Amino acid sequence: MTISDKAKINNRVGIEKRSDIEDYKTQFGLFEIDTVVGTGNKYFLLTVVDKANILRCIRKMPNKQADIVVEMFINIVNSTFHNFKTLTSDKGTEFAGHEEVTEITDADF
């Protein structure tokens, strides 16, 4: 993949903007969100992990397109009682729906 193949994520907030408390891993509600791609790009998982207690929520996905990631995240929100304060992801284009996730959870992404 070349640099020109990568799409820009609109209104992305860099990790340098997050508060220092997120680094302590002692406060519940500070989550890391990521995707896992299986062998041959045939299998995809969305993982959401609370940094303080290592609580994990995992959903199988048909692909890692941004709209699917948002749909699976909504499934996690609707099936749990977690208070999402922050979500941290990498710069992958699958997180291009970060603004919709922010609206759903009122969490900083």
Side-chain angles (χ1 to χ4, degrees):
M1 180 181 298
T2 66
I3 293 174
S4 62
D5 292 335
K6 291 189 174 191
K8 181 182 174 192
I9 298 177
N10 293 328
N11 301 317
R12 187 182 74 78
V13 177
I15 197 167
E16 68 279 355
K17 300 286 185 188
R18 73 177 180 184
S19 65
D20 291 336
I21 190 69
E22 294 177 41
D23 291 327
Y24 295 132
K25 299 183 181 183
T26 58
Q27 183 178 12
F28 295 123
L30 309 179
F31 287 84
E32 291 188 11
I33 184 170
D34 205 356
T35 54
V36 178
V37 179
T39 306
N41 291 326
K42 293 182 182 178
Y43 309 100
F44 304 90
L45 298 174
L46 175 67
T47 63
V48 180
V49 180
D50 188 309
K51 296 178 187 182
N53 63 6
I54 311 179
L55 171 80
R56 297 178 234 15
C57 297
I58 302 171
R59 296 294 185 272
K60 184 177 178 183
M61 303 183 297
N63 58 56
K64 67 174 201 168
Q65 294 175 350
D67 58 335
I68 299 296
V69 170
V70 170
E71 181 182 323
M72 291 297 111
F73 185 77
I74 290 170
N75 178 273
I76 290 172
V77 170
N78 290 337
S79 63
T80 64
F81 297 105
H82 303 304
N83 180 17
F84 294 92
K85 296 177 183 172
T86 66
L87 289 152
T88 303
S89 72
D90 58 23
K91 297 178 186 178
T93 56
E94 66 267 30
F95 300 113
H98 67 94
E99 291 175 307
E100 188 174 349
V101 169
T102 298
E103 285 183 30
I104 293 164
T105 61
D106 202 30
D108 293 331
F109 197 120

